[in-house]
Every structure is written in C-alpha cells, then in structure tokens.
Amino acid sequence: MKGGFVTLEGIEGAGKTTIAAALMSLLEERGHSVQATREPGGTPLAEQLRGILLTRGSETMSPVAETLLMFAARCIHLENRIRPALIRGEWIICDRFTDATRAYQGAGRSVDAGWIDQLAREVHAGLEPDLTLLLDVPVMIGLERARTRRLTRGETVVDRFESETIEFFERVRDAYLSCAAAEPQRFVVIDATQPLEAVVAAAQAALLNTLTQRGEA
C-alpha cells in the first residue's frame, strides 16, 4: 500500500502540534502506520541544522544562506526518514514543508520564488504532499499564543523567527494564503481561531476526504 504524506502549515501559534496528534490518532484507528515529524529537523542531523537556523547568535545569516540550510535539512529529512517511510507504506504527518520556505524565506525574507521552486525540484522532485492543511490565524493572535506557550514551558529565549516583526509575519501569512489559493486541490484552509474541537474536526474531515479519494477510508 502506498504511503501518505500530510503537511501542516501556518504561522507561530496556529496549533499545528495539537492537530498533528489528532490526525495520527485518526490514522492509527484505521490501522495505518503513521509517524509525526517536523521541519526543519526530523532526523538527528537535520535537528542539528534546525538548531543553527533557530538560534539567535552574534553572527548574521543572510536570507540566501537561511534558505540553503532549510533545503539541506529537508534533503536529509527526506532521504533518511520521509521517503523510506513512504516506501514502507507508512503515513507521514509533517509540521511544515516547502510551503513554509515559500512563505518565510520567499515572502518574509524576499528570496526569489523561482529559485526556491528550483531548489524544491532538485530536493523532492516527484514528491508533493497528498494533503496540506493551512491552519490560518491572524498574526497578533498567533504570536500571543506562541508567547503564552513559551511562558507556560518556562522558556525565556525566543528564536530567530519568533523575534521577527509583525510586518514579517503578515507577509508570511499572506503568502500562505496565496499558496493555498493557487493549489486548492492540495490545500485545505482551516480557521484556527475556532474552538479547538472545531479545528480538530475540520482537520480530520479533510484527512478522511483524502483517505476516501485514495480508497482507504
């Protein structure tokens, strides 16, 4: 049986981790083998690159360097975890994928969109998500949720992206919505300001629809 690939997208505070757990439960209840992962990261080596990308150090990192590191981590993640799992017939629920690069580095950092697409073709030609859920939330709400989450965990340091401006995240959110509008067959946009139960229900309904289309519901 062919494996399935679901990606979750959205700005900080959208609730992707919670929804990933709900999707995993749904798939497991139907007898599918499933694993959750994230980008950047997902393997020991890719997690090391994640640390470099998120840490606010004294040395600057250009948008081009950031983009290359994102795709380096993605390439490692794909080769060592995602593709092998899909070949085994497993499902992958991934917190962010290339759409995040289009939004954060493309729109947020003004990196050339054509170049990002070229890198995507090189790194994962022939592989696109079966379903992408965009958990959409207004920027101020998302950032406040992220701040509350950090305080609850006792975290005092914000990473390189969480420390960005409101304008940066507005560009990112707009880019996400543009991506979704351009590929309605792959994207499902969910209003993440709804009560959690409604967001979970919408996400699971979208996944069930994908399973039905694949003849696996």
Side-chain angles (χ1 to χ4, degrees):
M1 184 181 296
K2 177 186 175 184
F5 187 25
V6 178
T7 56
L8 304 178
E9 299 286 358
I11 66 169
E12 278 65 11
K16 298 184 299 302
T17 302
T18 301
I19 298 305
L23 297 182
M24 286 187 69
S25 295
L26 185 150
L27 287 166
E28 289 171 345
E29 288 169 1
R30 283 159 176 75
H32 295 283
S33 179
V34 56
Q35 53 181 294
T37 187
R38 67 179 182 178
E39 288 207 347
T43 76
L45 183 54
E47 288 289 334
Q48 291 182 46
L49 291 177
R50 177 187 179 89
I52 294 170
L53 281 159
L54 299 189
T55 300
R56 298 170 62 194
S58 59
E59 191 171 0
T60 60
M61 182 185 301
S62 73
V64 168
E66 182 179 281
T67 303
L68 288 169
L69 282 173
M70 286 289 184
F71 273 105
R74 181 164 299 130
C75 188
I76 293 165
H77 190 201
L78 283 161
E79 291 176 355
N80 296 338
R81 184 170 184 182
I82 293 178
R83 288 190 187 276
L86 295 176
I87 290 171
R88 293 192 300 266
E90 299 178 11
W91 279 77
I92 291 287
I93 309 294
C94 190
D95 183 340
R96 303 194 193 282
F97 193 58
T98 300
D99 295 304
T101 307
R102 295 183 175 109
Y104 280 79
Q105 284 71 49
R109 306 280 197 224
S110 299
V111 173
D112 181 72
W115 183 58
I116 290 175
D117 287 339
Q118 181 183 354
L119 289 171
R121 287 191 296 270
E122 292 291 334
V123 170
H124 58 90
L127 176 63
E128 292 293 338
D130 296 285
L131 171 67
T132 297
L133 299 179
L134 173 56
L135 304 178
D136 182 50
V137 63
V139 169
M140 293 302 295
I141 293 176
L143 295 182
E144 178 57 27
R145 286 180 177 177
R147 187 186 73 85
T148 300
R149 180 184 62 200
R150 285 197 308 273
L151 293 175
T152 300
R153 294 175 178 173
E155 299 171 357
T156 58
V157 178
V158 295
D159 65 37
R160 290 180 61 251
F161 293 99
E162 291 175 331
S163 62
E164 280 293 344
T165 64
I166 301 298
E167 291 75 18
F168 173 88
F169 285 107
E170 292 289 0
R171 294 195 300 273
V172 170
R173 184 192 181 201
D174 289 345
Y176 267 136
L177 291 170
S178 294
C179 287
E183 294 189 67
Q185 73 283 358
R186 174 166 67 89
F187 272 88
V188 173
V189 181
I190 298 174
D191 178 2
T193 65
Q194 301 176 91
L196 178 59
E197 295 79 6
V199 178
V200 168
Q204 290 184 326
L207 179 55
L208 281 172
N209 183 58
T210 297
L211 287 168
T212 300
Q213 292 175 354
R214 289 164 52 102
E216 300 175 21

